[in-house]
Amino acid sequence: MSKEVKPVYGGQAVVEGVMFGGKKHTVTAIRRKDGSIEYFKLPRKSSKAFASLKKIPFLRGIIAIIEASANGSKHLTFSTERYEVDPSKDHAIQEQEPSNLALILGVATIGILSFIFGKFIFTLIPVFLAELTRPLFKSDLSQILIEGFFKLLLLLTYIYFVSLTPMIKRVFQYHGAEHKVINAFENGYELTVQNVQAASRLHYRCGSSFIIFTVIVGIFVYMLVPTEPLWARVLNRLALIPVVLGISFEVLQLTNKLRDLPVLKYLGYPGLWLQLLTTKEPSDDQVEVAIASFNKLLEIEKEAE
């Protein structure tokens, strides 16, 4: 019997909570300091131009990243502001808030620029580190492989050390709770704390998998351009960022479609291995928040239909 085709939902961990996104809405649920759960809801808005571009392979990945960065920043800002404030003083937040338009534009811009800046850093530093080894590794292929090695090392080192901080560790636990809810839902289980905790904290469609695929895809893409001189190497790495992102997005989608097929399912394993760092096992309280967020999204999406 074939499995029922379910809608595709995505998510993101935030400070003391989880955001889930559906076809028309995004919802965040967070645990406040008094133990209560608060929700933040936003409709999905996309221009006609973006909607058209999202239908084009390789370009759709770039658009998805821009939208995810913008929307994710709004939900992350909400969770950070609310978590730090005692619920009895929420009126103070209301009085200090700028206009909705200014807030949305400002946060969206910061989110997108932060992503771009981070991508530049993780792209260029490995280039200069690899260049230092040129006396030993002169060929283009060896330089590209060394560059990929440094990029992977930098990525894993960064994730490991940030995961040691208490706040990021809790965010990674909520990341695990997000994946468990999605896995339980996609497998047709009732969304109870017990059922969700029994689900895997790893998921093929995770953004962590996307990150590792940019490293792997980059190695193959960079084989098409020379590594000398250094200035040309730097310029083509920057110019190829959209190409690497676009191809990596398609690879991520492909591995998700192949995850139930023997042998081919292993194509997605590098992303799952990275998730062993970017997700942690959540507590029952954290799973409860994730379930509440997902159920609220389902409720809102049903009302919209």
Side-chain angles (χ1 to χ4, degrees):
M1 181 182 296
S2 61
K3 285 186 177 181
E4 177 189 355
V5 178
K6 294 180 178 291
V8 176
Y9 296 102
Q12 172 185 319
V14 296
V15 177
E16 291 303 320
V18 175
M19 180 272 280
F20 284 108
K23 186 176 181 180
K24 296 184 178 180
H25 297 85
T26 54
V27 175
T28 285
I30 62 169
R31 178 81 71 181
R32 301 297 299 276
K33 287 184 176 293
D34 63 352
S36 63
I37 295 177
E38 183 178 355
Y39 300 96
F40 176 63
K41 299 165 280 187
L42 280 177
R44 280 191 181 274
K45 295 182 179 179
S46 182
S47 66
K48 291 183 178 180
F50 270 28
S52 299
L53 291 175
K54 283 196 292 186
K55 298 177 182 179
I56 304 174
F58 302 105
L59 282 181
R60 61 187 176 185
I62 308 298
I63 303 303
I65 291 167
I66 293 174
E67 289 189 335
S69 298
N71 290 327
S73 295
K74 300 171 197 173
H75 288 269
L76 186 59
T77 298
F78 162 79
S79 67
T80 304
E81 289 180 347
R82 294 289 178 177
Y83 172 68
E84 291 297 332
V85 176
D86 188 290
S88 64
K89 299 179 180 179
D90 281 353
H91 64 280
I93 299 177
Q94 303 280 350
E95 293 172 357
Q96 295 174 7
E97 282 182 349
S99 68
N100 288 337
L101 179 60
L103 178 63
I104 290 173
L105 290 177
V107 172
T109 300
I110 291 172
I112 295 170
L113 291 179
S114 298
F115 173 81
I116 294 174
F117 178 75
K119 185 59 184 171
F120 275 30
I121 293 297
F122 278 93
T123 297
L124 294 183
I125 289 180
V127 168
F128 292 111
L129 291 177
E131 190 67 25
L132 294 176
T133 70
R134 190 173 287 278
L136 295 175
F137 305 97
K138 300 180 184 296
S139 70
D140 283 356
L141 178 59
S142 61
Q143 276 293 299
I144 291 168
L145 293 176
I146 291 294
E147 181 182 334
F149 168 76
F150 279 128
K151 185 176 293 185
L152 182 60
L153 181 63
L154 183 63
L155 174 66
L156 296 178
T157 302
Y158 171 77
I159 293 175
Y160 172 74
F161 280 107
V162 299
S163 71
L164 298 179
T165 64
M167 176 175 283
I168 298 301
K169 181 180 179 179
R170 288 190 63 81
V171 170
F172 283 0
Q173 285 180 295
Y174 276 108
H175 190 189
E178 172 223 325
H179 284 183
K180 283 174 175 282
V181 167
I182 293 292
N183 279 322
F185 171 78
E186 291 180 344
N187 284 289
Y189 301 142
E190 181 184 359
L191 296 184
T192 64
V193 172
Q194 183 178 4
N195 287 345
V196 171
Q197 283 285 36
S200 172
R201 77 176 201 260
L202 311 180
H203 197 285
Y204 274 79
R205 214 167 49 246
C206 176
S208 300
S209 296
F210 174 76
I211 293 173
I212 199 70
F213 286 139
T214 62
V215 177
I216 298 171
V217 168
I219 291 175
F220 290 97
V221 171
Y222 298 155
M223 290 181 181
L224 304 176
V225 293
T227 61
E228 293 185 281
L230 178 59
W231 65 265
R233 184 176 186 176
V234 170
L235 289 181
N236 66 49
R237 294 300 185 268
L238 294 178
L240 289 171
I241 285 178
V243 176
V244 172
L245 293 178
I247 296 175
S248 299
F249 182 84
E250 299 301 325
V251 172
L252 178 66
Q253 299 302 308
L254 179 63
T255 58
N256 183 58
K257 293 177 181 177
L258 301 177
R259 62 179 175 174
D260 294 323
L261 300 179
V263 181
L264 294 179
K265 67 180 182 180
Y266 297 112
L267 293 174
Y269 272 37
L272 299 181
W273 293 333
L274 182 60
Q275 290 174 45
L276 293 174
L277 283 179
T278 62
T279 66
K280 303 293 182 185
E281 286 293 334
S283 65
D284 288 351
D285 285 347
Q286 291 169 320
V287 167
E288 183 184 10
V289 174
I291 293 173
S293 178
F294 191 72
N295 284 337
K296 179 64 69 173
L297 174 65
L298 295 182
E299 176 187 325
I300 295 173
E301 292 278 274
K302 184 177 181 180
E303 291 175 357
E305 292 178 358

